[in-house]
Amino acid sequence: MPHPRVGIADLSIATTHYMIDHATLARHHGVDVAKYHRGIGQDAMSVPAPDEDIVTLAAAAAAPVLERHGTSALRTVLLATETGVDQSKAAGLYLHPLLRLPHTTRVVELKQACYAATAGLQFAAGLIARDPAHQVLVIATDIARYDTGTPAEATQGAASAAILVTADPGIAELESVTGVHSSHVMDFWRPNHRTTPVVDGKLSITTYLDATAHAYADYRRHGGRDLDDFAAFCYHQPFTAMAYKAHRHLLGTHGQAPSHDDLDTALAASTHYNRAVGNSYTASLYLALASLLDHRDELGGRHVGMLSYGSGCVAEFFCATVVPGYRDHLRATAHDHAVTARKPLAYDDYRSLHEFRIPADAGRHNVPEHTAGAFRLAAVEGHERIYETR
Ligand code: COA
């Protein structure tokens, strides 16, 4: 039986209520702002309000997708995060009342650092190959929070991406050939007792570069496309300069020495949202794809090389072939609004939000109201998270 065409029918991103720009951060840290703007390629980072978390971010990204497509064919919700709110219950279940999800869906949470949403896409493609009437909602949602005063602090951020995977998609087809690479590396991890990760930043960069080359080599061994076949590339962007490092490395392993302009042609359009939002872990690669599609209008029928990386580590290289007419399905105005509508924080307010914690006892703790969006975390009572829809 021939495989159906499977891929992305809708892609919607959301981010937080607040942001802080790197010029403010640089001033308070006594750092040359060029290190942030040019060195790591970041202008600003999203900062969650007390009443935002991965569930409210997921709901904000997914609601417009369900509004457009309905839920009658939705059979599976795969939520990928490395900022889980519970060790047992899938965060996607909190979305049931917020998004009026049908009870006839399987809901599960996926974890492997920044990579897990890509596993979600591949699992979705498998389910749809079995039953092309089946639709799968993959949601990537994360808050990247590091200890203040560490090199990683400037690479914080938060965002979500909701990706509807269907047969005969309107935006991009996911080709079935993929290349994968995994190995046991301690470059970044977060033990259960910690609220921030343990990071060996330099090791994470070299591991990412190695994993990229290995994943692409595996992709080629399985019949994948030549590098010259791709009109653009999207990389996981913990900071946008990482996409440039990774692409230069990948081309270098194939004997090419690209100029900065060559790299810009392949990558620049994919970096707009991540430059402003910062690291969003599982969502980062899909913010890159949204940015590319929203900012280039000649991609119909062309191939985009996608590189997903999650520390620890797993990497996957795959191809998304853009469907002619894709621009009719995009949400560029809403995405731009999500980024530009954020409220800038003064440095001291950023620091107090960074320190904000909901007490961990069983009492009722109302969460201060900061946000104005459709979904908020209203309270925690008896260890239960209570959300509100406006
Ligand atoms: N003007 C322009 N560029 C400057 C600069 C200046 N004044 N000062 C420094 N830079 C450049 C550096 O040369 C470097 O670029 P390069 O990597 O191309 O050489 C870049 O800015 C970063 O500087 P560096 O001193 O290496 O940064 P750092 O030690 O402060 O940490 C990370 C950078 C990424 C390791 C750190 O932010 C981190 O740990 N992040 C979290 C983990 C992560 O994101 N890993 C990525 C893979 S998943």
Side-chain angles (χ1 to χ4, degrees):
M1 196 173 73
H3 283 298
R5 292 171 52 249
V6 177
I8 299 174
D10 202 348
L11 171 59
S12 160
I13 67 166
T15 187
T16 57
H17 183 71
Y18 291 123
M19 55 81 90
I20 183 163
D21 61 52
H22 279 79
T24 306
L25 209 62
R27 214 166 38 250
H28 283 83
H29 290 188
V31 168
D32 178 0
V33 71
K35 172 173 177 178
Y36 296 152
H37 288 171
R38 285 212 311 279
I40 60 169
Q42 288 305 127
D43 293 337
M45 58 197 196
S46 287
V47 179
D51 51 344
E52 286 178 314
D53 66 6
I54 55 149
V55 173
T56 65
L57 288 174
V65 173
L66 300 183
E67 208 170 289
R68 185 183 284 176
H69 296 270
T71 54
S72 56
L74 188 66
R75 295 287 289 165
T76 301
V77 177
L78 302 173
L79 186 146
T81 188
E82 56 177 300
T83 330
V85 293
D86 195 285
Q87 295 284 2
S88 170
K89 184 182 172 87
L93 291 166
Y94 287 107
L95 297 175
H96 255 279
L98 300 181
L99 299 177
R100 296 198 184 82
L101 288 177
H103 293 290
T104 49
T105 46
R106 63 168 71 79
V107 178
V108 75
E109 188 166 314
L110 302 174
K111 178 179 69 184
Q112 184 0 70
C114 304
Y115 162 75
T118 299
L121 280 195
Q122 302 300 354
F123 299 163
L127 287 167
I128 294 161
R130 196 166 72 171
D131 176 3
H134 193 125
Q135 297 191 343
V136 180
L137 182 63
V138 177
I139 306 176
T141 178
D142 264 308
I143 295 171
R145 201 164 147 278
Y146 296 100
D147 292 328
T148 52
T150 64
E153 182 184 359
T155 64
Q156 297 177 110
S160 56
I163 308 156
L164 187 69
V165 186
T166 70
D168 296 321
I171 294 181
E173 188 178 335
L174 298 170
E175 293 189 352
S176 57
V177 175
T178 83
V180 288
H181 173 79
S182 67
S183 70
H184 173 45
V185 185
M186 299 306 279
D187 58 336
F188 177 115
W189 68 105
R190 183 163 70 84
N192 289 343
H193 58 273
R194 284 184 61 109
T195 57
T196 52
V198 185
V199 191
D200 183 336
K202 303 292 182 200
L203 178 64
S204 74
I205 291 173
T206 53
T207 309
Y208 179 140
L209 296 178
D210 284 349
T212 298
H214 285 305
Y216 181 72
D218 187 56
Y219 171 77
R220 287 292 280 167
R221 277 194 298 274
H222 285 84
R225 295 180 181 281
D226 189 77
L227 286 170
D228 293 336
D229 290 348
F230 296 103
F233 291 80
C234 291
Y235 284 83
H236 167 54
Q237 295 170 13
F239 50 95
T240 66
M242 189 67 222
Y244 282 72
K245 272 185 199 295
H247 197 50
R248 190 183 296 111
H249 180 77
L250 181 59
L251 295 183
T253 59
H254 289 76
Q256 299 182 34
S259 67
H260 197 80
D261 284 353
D262 295 335
L263 294 174
D264 268 346
T265 304
L267 302 170
S270 75
T271 62
H272 297 297
Y273 298 144
N274 285 310
R275 264 196 96 87
V277 160
N279 197 355
S280 56
Y281 293 161
T282 52
S284 164
L285 175 62
Y286 300 97
L287 263 70
L289 180 62
S291 176
L292 173 73
L293 297 172
D294 289 350
H295 293 91
R296 277 182 60 177
D297 57 12
E298 68 338 327
L299 290 173
R302 302 181 74 189
H303 307 299
V304 177
M306 304 279 293
L307 188 280
S308 183
Y309 174 76
S311 288
C313 74
V314 178
E316 181 156 356
F317 189 97
F318 59 105
C319 172
T321 299
V322 182
V323 176
Y326 68 103
R327 294 203 67 82
D328 296 342
H329 304 273
L330 300 182
R331 301 174 175 279
T333 308
H335 294 166
D336 182 62
H337 179 74
V339 171
T340 54
R342 293 170 304 163
K343 307 274 177 286
L345 286 167
Y347 184 77
D348 290 348
D349 294 333
Y350 152 69
R351 288 300 292 258
S352 4
L353 286 178
H354 196 279
E355 278 150 32
F356 174 83
R357 299 280 185 286
I358 298 167
D361 63 65
R364 179 172 178 100
H365 303 288
N366 292 326
V367 179
E369 191 164 346
H370 285 236
T371 57
F375 310 102
R376 68 178 291 269
L377 175 65
V380 177
E381 182 171 16
H383 302 292
E384 178 185 341
R385 300 174 87 79
I386 300 165
Y387 294 93
E388 208 172 72
T389 307
R390 295 189 179 106

